[in-house]
Amino acid sequence: MNVRVRFAPSPTGALHIGGVRTALYNFLLARQTGGTMILRIEDTDQNRYVPGAEEYILQSLAWAGIKIDEGVGPGGPHAPYRQSERKAIYQKHARELVDLGHAYYAFDTEADLEAMRQRTPNAQYDSTTRLQMKNSLSLPKEEVQKLLTSEPYVIRLKIPSNEEIHLNDLIRGEVKVHSSQLDDKVLMKSDGMPTYHLANVVDDFLMQISHVIRGEEWLPSAPHHVLLYRFFGWSNVMPRFAHLPLLLKPDGNGKLSKRDADRMGFPIFPLTWTDPRTGETSKGFRESGYLPEAMINFLALLGWNPGTTQEIFSLNELIQSFSLERVGKAGAKFDIQKAQWFNQQYLRALSPEILSGYLLDSLKKEGFACTPDRALKIVAALKDRVTYPQDFWEQGRLFFAAPDAFDSSAVGKKWTSDAVKVLHEYEQKVKSAPALSANDAKLMLEEICAAMGIKPGQVLAALRISLTGGMSGPDLMQTIEILGGMETALRIQTALKQLAVPTSNV
Ligand code: GLU
C-alpha cells in the first residue's frame, strides 16, 4: 500500500506539544514506509481562526525536524491544501450526498432548534426528531425549492436510524458505535463553509490518505468518517485509523493542559507564542533551551514503546523501530523531568565546539571577552552539570565575575580557623603561579595542609566559598585552573578580608 498520512491542524492558536507528537507519529510512519507526509490546514471555522497560527505551525514543524512532503508549504498535486480555499469542492460533494439521499437541507432557525431542546430534554437532531423539524425530508418539495432561494439553510448528514457502526482502530482495536448515539451533523453551514465533518473526510478521500493518525479526542467523529466513506461509495479505500493516547499531566491522571504546564513551570508550546487575542506570551520549548532532537526522542516514547529498554533513539532509529502496533491505549504521563533528562543526554553528546559556541554567544551578549580555548575548558568543566545550553552561562558566570556575596549559612558551617590558616598560605602560593594546572593546584593545597597537620577535606569548602560564594559548582581544582593563580589569589584575599575570622578552634 502507498502510505499517505496527513497532519491536519486547525489554526486556532499555538500548536500544543501533543500536536507535535501527532505530527511526529505520522511522519515516522511516512518515512518508514517510503510514504508521503501531508500538511493540510483545516481552517473552515472562521470564528476560531487565529492570525499567525498557521505560520506558527509551519515553524514549529520545521524546528522539530518534521518535514512536510506535500501540502501547505511545499504544495503538491492536490493543492490547495488550505481548506478555506477548497469551498467549491465541499459544496459539490455535499450536494452529491443530498442527491444520493444521505444528506438533506435544513432551514431551522436558532429558535426552532431551541424549541426542540425544550420539547425533549437531551434531544438531538436525528432520526427520532428530524421529521418534526423544518427540512427537505419533512417539508413538501415545492416549499423546499422556495426556501432554498429565500432562506438560509444548512446541509445535514442523514444518520441511519438503527445500525451498529464498526471501525477497526490500529490502537484501540474494534470500536462499535450505535447510530442512535450520533446526530445529523451539519456538513455545510449557511455561509457556504463546510464543517470539519465534511471537509476532513472529503479531503482524506481526495488526498488518498491511507492512515488517519490523530489524537484520541477525535475518536467520536470516526463513525461519521466511516459513514461518509460508505455513502460516497469510497469504502474500499477507507483509511486505517489510529487514535493516539492522551498526554497526561505529570502529577495525576488528568489531561495535560496549559494550566498544568504554567503551574509547574514548564512550556507547553514548541516555540514562544504571543496570543494575538490576549497579548499573553508563553515561552516555548525552543526558547527554554530544549534541543529539537531531544524533544523528538522524548515525544516518540510518549505512547509508543520499542519493546526493549533502549531510550536514546536517533531520528533514523525511530524511523526504523516505530510501529503503530506498539502504541498503547493508556494515557502517557508527560514527565517533564524525563524531557530534561533527554535534553541533558543530547546536550552532552554535542561537540565541544558547539557547546563552547553556546557559552561564547552568551558572553558576547553579556559583554565578556573569552578566548576559544578558555571557553572549551569551561564547557568541559560544566558539561555534566547542565540541562540547557544557557546553563553554560548561568553556571559559568563565576569564571567571569567574582562572587558579590557569600552564602552565610555555608560560611557559618565551613569557615573555620583551620581553613583560614591554610587559605592565607595558599593565597601566597597560587599568586606566584599564574598558569597552574588542576593537579598543581591540588598538590599545593595538600602540601600546605600536610605541613600544618590539617586534612585537606577540612579546607575545601572554605576554598570553594572564597572562589564561588557558595557550596556548589564544578570541580574545585578545575575551577582554579580555569580562574588562574592570580584570580584565585585575589578571590581568596577578598574572602579573607570580608569574612570574620572565626573565634572557635583558635
Ligand atoms: N482539524 C483537526 C484538528 O485540529 C484534525 C483532526 C484530524 O486529524 O482528523 O486536530
Side-chain angles (χ1 to χ4, degrees):
M1 189 199 342
N2 199 356
V3 168
R4 291 177 56 84
V5 289
R6 84 308 194 267
F7 180 51
S10 298
T12 53
L15 183 64
H16 189 281
I17 196 69
V20 180
R21 182 195 59 169
T22 301
L24 173 64
Y25 283 18
N26 278 283
F27 176 68
L28 292 176
L29 187 71
R31 283 293 172 276
Q32 183 176 76
T33 55
T36 305
M37 169 74 177
I38 296 159
L39 175 67
R40 184 169 77 220
I41 296 289
E42 304 210 320
D43 59 346
T44 56
D45 191 344
Q46 308 270 280
N47 298 325
R48 297 185 59 218
Y49 179 81
V50 172
E54 181 186 305
E55 260 301 288
Y56 181 90
I57 291 166
L58 287 165
Q59 285 171 6
S60 298
L61 296 177
W63 174 71
I66 298 175
K67 243 194 105 246
I68 302 301
D69 303 316
E70 185 182 316
V72 171
H78 302 282
Y81 291 88
R82 205 176 276 115
Q83 289 187 327
S84 58
E85 294 165 20
R86 299 169 61 81
K87 268 162 57 173
I89 297 174
Y90 311 121
Q91 265 152 9
K92 175 179 153 279
H93 280 86
R95 287 188 203 285
E96 188 184 328
L97 219 49
V98 175
D99 293 343
L100 290 166
H102 294 302
Y104 57 91
Y105 300 110
F107 306 95
D108 315 272
T109 61
E110 232 351 280
D112 295 333
L113 294 171
E114 186 49 37
M116 170 186 82
R117 291 189 280 261
Q118 292 293 332
R119 273 199 304 277
T120 331
N122 300 323
Q124 56 178 13
Y125 212 116
D126 62 13
S127 62
T128 65
T129 53
R130 64 170 83 104
L131 289 180
Q132 304 150 24
M133 306 301 292
K134 255 170 94 180
N135 55 52
S136 57
L137 301 175
S138 63
L139 301 170
K141 235 186 172 143
E142 309 73 59
E143 194 176 344
V144 170
Q145 285 313 320
K146 221 176 70 204
L147 288 173
L148 280 176
T149 58
S150 60
E151 295 295 317
Y153 62 89
V154 301
I155 296 180
R156 284 183 182 271
L157 177 61
K158 191 178 162 200
I159 298 277
S161 63
N162 184 16
E163 185 192 317
E164 195 150 63
I165 300 154
H166 292 245
L167 67 109
N168 213 335
D169 189 283
L170 289 167
I171 295 170
R172 273 141 229 282
E174 160 116 87
V175 179
K176 288 185 240 166
V177 182
H178 197 268
S179 63
S180 60
Q181 286 170 284
L182 307 176
D183 66 332
D184 288 359
K185 286 268 180 286
V186 171
L187 300 178
M188 289 298 289
K189 291 183 289 186
S190 54
D191 63 0
M193 268 295 201
T195 59
Y196 159 80
H197 298 281
L198 180 69
N200 182 266
V201 177
V202 165
D203 284 347
D204 281 349
F205 170 72
L206 293 176
M207 297 176 186
Q208 295 159 15
I209 299 303
S210 63
H211 294 74
V212 169
I213 304 172
R214 60 184 178 186
E216 173 174 278
E217 66 275 24
W218 300 99
L219 189 57
S221 68
H224 295 99
H225 227 109
V226 174
L227 281 178
L228 280 169
Y229 261 72
R230 195 212 300 156
F231 293 161
F232 279 118
W234 303 333
S235 292
N236 59 331
V237 290
M238 182 73 202
R240 305 298 311 270
F241 285 107
H243 288 93
L244 304 179
L246 279 181
L247 291 187
L248 305 176
K249 57 179 90 186
D251 59 342
N253 286 322
K255 187 175 155 197
L256 174 70
S257 68
K258 177 165 184 308
R259 195 146 29 90
D260 299 313
D262 289 349
R263 170 174 58 86
M264 297 177 72
F266 62 83
I268 189 97
F269 301 141
L271 316 178
T272 291
W273 165 255
T274 300
D275 191 320
R277 294 159 299 191
T278 61
E280 186 201 355
T281 293
S282 312
K283 198 166 173 186
F285 279 97
R286 178 179 66 184
E287 291 75 8
S288 302
Y290 287 85
L291 302 173
E293 297 79 9
M295 280 314 280
I296 288 297
N297 195 156
F298 168 65
L299 290 174
L301 289 162
L302 283 183
W304 170 73
N305 81 80
T308 65
T309 52
Q310 183 177 349
E311 290 192 286
I312 300 289
F313 285 85
S314 68
L315 182 60
N316 275 334
E317 287 172 314
L318 287 175
I319 291 169
Q320 298 296 319
S321 326
F322 181 76
S323 80
L324 286 171
E325 286 71 28
R326 296 206 67 90
V327 176
K329 275 187 259 203
K333 234 182 234 314
F334 193 85
D335 180 355
I336 191 65
Q337 279 163 2
K338 194 75 200 187
Q340 289 160 357
W341 179 83
F342 275 110
N343 214 51
Q344 279 166 354
Q345 307 306 309
Y346 277 81
L347 199 55
R348 282 176 204 172
L350 293 175
S351 73
E353 287 69 29
I354 294 184
L355 297 180
S356 61
Y358 291 136
L359 176 64
L360 289 167
D361 282 351
S362 305
L363 288 170
K364 209 162 156 193
K365 268 186 233 139
E366 303 287 338
F368 288 98
C370 178
T371 63
D373 254 18
R374 186 161 191 249
L376 283 170
K377 271 193 181 176
I378 295 174
V379 159
L382 294 174
K383 194 171 158 185
D384 292 336
R385 309 172 49 83
V386 292
T387 303
Y388 310 108
Q390 65 269 27
D391 290 351
F392 285 114
W393 163 244
E394 295 298 333
Q395 297 186 28
R397 76 169 75 222
L398 76 98
F399 295 109
F400 299 88
D404 43 22
F406 298 96
D407 170 349
S408 55
S409 104
V411 170
K413 279 187 230 126
K414 304 291 184 180
W415 196 257
T416 63
S417 56
D418 276 356
V420 166
K421 267 197 275 175
V422 173
L423 288 180
H424 271 293
E425 289 274 321
Y426 195 59
E427 184 259 322
Q428 290 296 319
K429 259 281 176 51
V430 292
K431 194 159 55 183
S432 53
L436 79 173
S437 69
N439 200 41
D440 294 342
K442 181 164 168 265
L443 290 177
M444 279 180 189
L445 186 71
E446 283 169 358
E447 230 170 75
I448 297 168
C449 285
M452 291 185 167
I454 294 168
K455 286 200 192 105
Q458 318 250 264
V459 185
L460 291 174
L463 178 55
R464 186 182 284 284
I465 291 167
S466 322
L467 302 182
T468 71
M471 297 282 281
S472 67
D475 178 83
L476 190 56
M477 296 306 148
Q478 259 180 316
T479 302
I480 295 174
E481 176 179 323
I482 297 168
L483 286 174
M486 294 291 277
E487 177 66 15
T488 302
L490 266 174
R491 291 192 188 185
I492 295 173
Q493 273 172 28
T494 309
L496 287 170
K497 250 187 254 154
Q498 289 192 7
L499 299 174
V501 181
T503 47
S504 60
N505 282 348
V506 182

